[in-house]
């Protein structure tokens, strides 16, 4: 199918807040408020080696929430926090300050509804196809194929991390 259509349906990312970060032996889970009419959910990450827990607590982040539930070290993760990692270090992809928690991330020129069935996402290997196209630009703006991540018309950034891959 059309790459633009596939991309727009693949990633309902959204603005979330890390409410209760904790250290686990394998990964650091974060309780987050997801996009849409859902309750808080748990997201695990391997960020403990990069960011102190105080930098995570209360952080506004962009989370992918349609990749399906995964277990890490026996603990369930229900999403994936996006970060950029470059010469300046690792930083969260951050929604605009004005963005409400749960606001959907969009990409200008990529209309359509996000795919919400994790089994279809996995079967089509959509994340694997899209991930290499995610990066910050020279201004630290998070982009897909050079098109900024946008929440209600404002861009998402990874402060201080420029020209770096996002995963």
């Amino acid at each position: 199918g059309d790459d633009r259509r596939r991309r727009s349906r693949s990633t309902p990312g959204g603005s979330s807040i890390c409410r209760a970060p904790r250290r686990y032996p394998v990964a650091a889970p974060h309780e987050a408020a997801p996009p849409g009419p859902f309750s808080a959910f748990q997201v695990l990450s391997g960020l403990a080696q990069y960011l102190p827990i105080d930098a995570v607590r209360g952080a506004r982040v962009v989370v992918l929430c349609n990749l399906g539930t995964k277990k890490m070290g026996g603990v369930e993760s229900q999403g994936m926090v996006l970060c950029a990692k470059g010469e300046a270090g690792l930083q969260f992809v951050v929604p605009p300050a004005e963005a409400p928690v749960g606001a959907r991330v969009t990409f200008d020129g990529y209309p359509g509804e996000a795919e919400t069935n994790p089994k279809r996402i996995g079967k089509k290997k959509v994340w694997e196809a899209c991930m290499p196209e995610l990066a910050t630009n020279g201004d630290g703006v998070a982009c897909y194929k050079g098109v900024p991540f946008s929440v209600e018309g404002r861009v998402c950034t990874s402060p201080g991390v420029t020209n770096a891959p996002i995963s």
Side-chain angles (χ1 to χ4, degrees), residues 4-77:
R4 286 178 182 233
R5 181 181 164 119
R6 185 177 67 176
R7 174 64 186 135
S8 68
R9 293 183 358 211
S10 69
T11 4
S15 172
S16 295
I17 297 175
C18 296
R19 295 179 193 247
R22 299 179 294 283
R23 283 192 180 271
Y24 276 69
V26 175
H30 313 285
E31 202 176 280
F38 305 105
S39 60
F41 64 108
Q42 178 170 268
V43 177
L44 278 71
S45 69
L47 298 176
Q49 63 185 323
Y50 300 104
L51 298 170
I53 202 157
D54 287 338
V56 175
R57 186 175 290 111
R60 294 179 53 83
V61 297
V62 173
V63 175
L64 294 183
C65 56
N66 68 338
L67 298 176
T69 300
K70 303 271 190 226
K71 283 200 172 185
M72 296 173 71
V75 180
E76 193 173 88
S77 180

